Amino acid sequence: MNTNLARHEAELESQGWTVVPRLIHEELVGALNHALVPSLDKRDAIRTANGLMENCQGTAHHVLSDDRCYVELLAKFEALDPIVKWFFGGNYILNSYGGFINDGKTYAHDVHRDIRFHSNAKRFMLNTLVMLDEFTEPNGATHILSGSQHQPERPSNDTFFRDAARVTGERGSVLLFDSRIWHAAGENTTNLPRRALTLTFTCPFFKPQLDYPRLMASSGISTLTPFLRQVIGFNARVPASLEEFYVPVEQRFYQRGQD
């Protein structure tokens, strides 16, 4: 991994994406695949009750506390820490943690980017995708338009699908890409599901999509390494009372270095 650091940084800088092959071992990939369907079922039940099932087939948001294997996966991202810190120029936190079973048409198949605004002054968000199945063109390998992190306007569908690369890879590989880049999930034309986990990271001063520290505090999973505490956002919280605000520096909710 360390020997390829320069290559991954160069690819992120130039084409806007890079693949780290076989980062996640097979046993953990199997556990994640086993956990993903119950996670999806749990969210589908909530969405069905709230009338929100349209255009979201196979998507499961905020799975971090569903199963210990999701936390174990996030811990494996410590191997990517040098790349991600280089990308942001400092610390970062988890913004979202979802799963996707590519077995039907959803919003993910439309040409899009995962940050709503464009900026060349600073990088604010990084996408990662963990391949829980082999990614092939027939089963919907991601379309990604290399270099389009510098393109503020959405390309036409014709231009995008003509010029976009297809990201293929083995189970357990991890795709990292600049969140400004234009991309789309590919169509799965096989009879088998194509599963992935999608994690995004942002600068610590960005609001995460869910309050992950509070989620973890209520999950019963209490033993976290310093890396996990940083990435989950325990060092970038907002105090909710004067008693929480007036504490010694080392106990502050928003720690130094979170910029």
Side-chain angles (χ1 to χ4, degrees), residues 49-189:
N50 291 342
L52 298 173
M53 276 302 294
E54 184 179 356
N55 201 31
C56 62
Q57 180 180 341
T59 61
H61 302 89
H62 309 303
V63 300
L64 177 62
S65 68
D66 282 14
D67 192 287
R68 184 75 203 194
C69 67
Y70 293 124
V71 181
E72 184 180 348
L73 173 67
L74 186 58
K76 297 296 183 185
F77 271 65
E78 190 166 5
L80 302 175
D81 191 52
I83 299 173
V84 184
K85 277 187 174 173
W86 164 84
F87 181 86
F88 286 111
N91 282 319
Y92 55 94
I93 63 169
L94 184 68
N95 184 264
S96 65
Y97 192 142
F100 181 41
I101 301 177
N102 187 5
D103 192 21
K105 180 70 174 176
T106 73
Y107 59 85
H109 292 84
D110 298 329
V111 180
H112 66 285
R113 65 184 180 202
D114 287 294
I115 189 165
R116 295 183 183 275
F117 63 89
H118 181 84
S119 171
N120 285 322
K122 183 174 175 60
R123 293 166 172 156
F124 291 101
M125 181 181 287
L126 178 72
N127 279 57
T128 68
L129 183 152
V130 180
M131 302 177 189
L132 299 182
D133 293 296
E134 182 183 8
F135 267 45
T136 67
E137 292 194 16
N139 76 5
T142 303
H143 299 264
I144 194 162
L145 187 59
S146 298
S148 65
Q149 69 271 24
H150 304 301
Q151 182 177 333
E153 301 301 322
R154 181 188 182 279
S156 68
N157 282 353
D158 288 344
T159 298
F160 177 84
F161 287 109
R162 181 193 68 211
D163 297 338
R166 302 297 299 276
V167 181
T168 59
E170 300 176 63
R171 279 167 59 109
S173 299
V174 179
L175 164 67
L176 297 86
F177 62 95
D178 191 315
S179 297
R180 297 173 297 174
I181 210 165
W182 295 98
H183 64 284
E187 181 184 0
N188 185 355
T189 60

Side-chain angles (χ1 to χ4, degrees), residues 181-217:
I181 210 165
W182 295 98
H183 64 284
E187 181 184 0
N188 185 355
T189 60
T190 74
N191 295 322
L192 297 172
R194 195 227 64 196
R195 298 160 291 192
L197 291 172
T198 54
L199 294 77
T200 64
F201 300 95
T202 56
C203 301
F205 51 79
F206 253 60
K207 289 182 181 178
Q209 292 184 19
L210 200 73
D211 188 344
Y212 285 112
R214 186 168 66 171
L215 178 73
M216 294 304 294

